[in-house]
Amino acid sequence: MVSRAIAWIKDVTAGAEFADVMIQPRRLTATGTAIGSAPVGYRLDYKLETLSNFVTSGLLVTARGEGWRRKLDLRRTRSGKWSIRTAEKGSLPLPGPGGDVADFADSLDCDLGLSPLTNSMPVLRQDLLHGGGPLDFLMAWVSVPDLSVHASRQRYTFVRAEAGGAVVRYESLDSGFTADITFDSEGLVIDYPGIGRRR
């Protein structure tokens, strides 16, 4: 079992994230807090749980800012059925929380927007720290801070080994965004250009 406390600085959107992460054989759990400045100032708290093989079982997220608060409870059963529960208070001029689970019914993973944490699950499951790819995935992507949920098609490809880790290329097949992400030997992000880097 590996237990880590990690802080990432977010330069592009001026923010930070702190997570307590526990990795057991083929399983990851984490709790974390993020602070961001765009498109509005917000604080976000989350709890992530996976089942065996790093498959998402639950993501509970609360986001709040001046005059508003939102909550998202995104779940996936062992049989592969997704569900969403939401709550909101106040006014936020962004899309509402939640989404249509039919759009990402076949996905195994959630992807919390602007967080380096959730990239670990597909990389660990497919052992991409040691080679492989390109591999395509369908994700349940959670937009931050509005907590709307969308299907996201993504591709991961091993690029090279580095001392104490590896570089894996991430590609969004919907937006064209690409980044070479540096992971440590435990599969946790060291540097995700444009999203966050460790301090």
Side-chain angles (χ1 to χ4, degrees), residues 111 119 154-156 168-172 177-179 181 192:
D111 182 4
N119 298 92
Q154 302 177 5
R155 178 172 293 157
Y156 287 74
V168 177
R169 180 163 296 135
Y170 165 89
E171 299 173 76
S172 169
F177 173 79
T178 299
I181 307 173
Y192 185 159

Side-chain angles (χ1 to χ4, degrees), residues 172-189:
S172 169
L173 301 180
D174 298 316
S175 72
F177 173 79
T178 299
D180 285 355
I181 307 173
T182 304
F183 292 85
D184 66 19
S185 60
E186 292 151 356
L188 298 170
V189 171

Side-chain angles (χ1 to χ4, degrees), residues 129-145:
L129 297 178
H130 301 102
L135 296 173
D136 292 352
F137 302 90
L138 177 65
M139 307 293 191
W141 180 72
V142 179
S143 177
V144 171

Side-chain angles (χ1 to χ4, degrees), residues 84-180:
I84 295 176
R85 289 188 299 169
T86 64
E88 59 182 316
K89 292 181 180 178
S91 178
L92 177 65
L94 292 171
D100 186 351
V101 295
D103 293 342
F104 51 87
D106 296 330
S107 63
L108 301 178
D109 302 292
C110 67
D111 182 4
L112 182 60
L114 303 178
S115 173
L117 177 66
T118 45
N119 298 92
S120 294
M121 285 114 71
V123 167
L124 288 168
R125 184 168 59 251
Q126 299 295 335
D127 198 26
L128 285 168
L129 297 178
H130 301 102
L135 296 173
D136 292 352
F137 302 90
L138 177 65
M139 307 293 191
W141 180 72
V142 179
S143 177
V144 171
D146 52 274
L147 305 187
S148 58
V149 187
H150 311 270
S152 174
R153 298 179 307 121
Q154 302 177 5
R155 178 172 293 157
Y156 287 74
T157 308
F158 173 83
V159 175
R160 66 182 178 274
E162 291 201 343
V167 175
V168 177
R169 180 163 296 135
Y170 165 89
E171 299 173 76
S172 169
L173 301 180
D174 298 316
S175 72
F177 173 79
T178 299
D180 285 355

Side-chain angles (χ1 to χ4, degrees), residues 12-15 35-42:
V12 175
T13 56
I35 297 171
S37 58
V40 297
Y42 66 87

Side-chain angles (χ1 to χ4, degrees), residues 19-96:
D20 288 303
V21 185
M22 184 176 295
I23 301 177
Q24 298 171 302
R26 311 305 294 172
R27 191 166 176 230
L28 181 150
T29 58
T31 57
T33 299
I35 297 171
S37 58
V40 297
Y42 66 87
R43 171 180 170 151
L44 183 144
D45 297 282
Y46 63 82
K47 181 178 181 181
L48 171 68
E49 299 173 303
T50 74
L51 297 171
S52 61
N53 216 23
F54 303 106
V55 174
T56 297
S57 60
L59 177 67
L60 179 63
V61 189
T62 301
R64 61 186 173 92
E66 185 175 7
W68 63 273
R69 183 181 184 93
R70 291 184 172 189
K71 184 175 182 179
L72 170 73
D73 191 357
L74 179 65
R75 299 282 161 185
R76 185 183 185 277
T77 65
R78 289 184 183 273
S79 62
K81 182 178 180 181
W82 288 91
S83 65
I84 295 176
R85 289 188 299 169
T86 64
E88 59 182 316
K89 292 181 180 178
S91 178
L92 177 65
L94 292 171

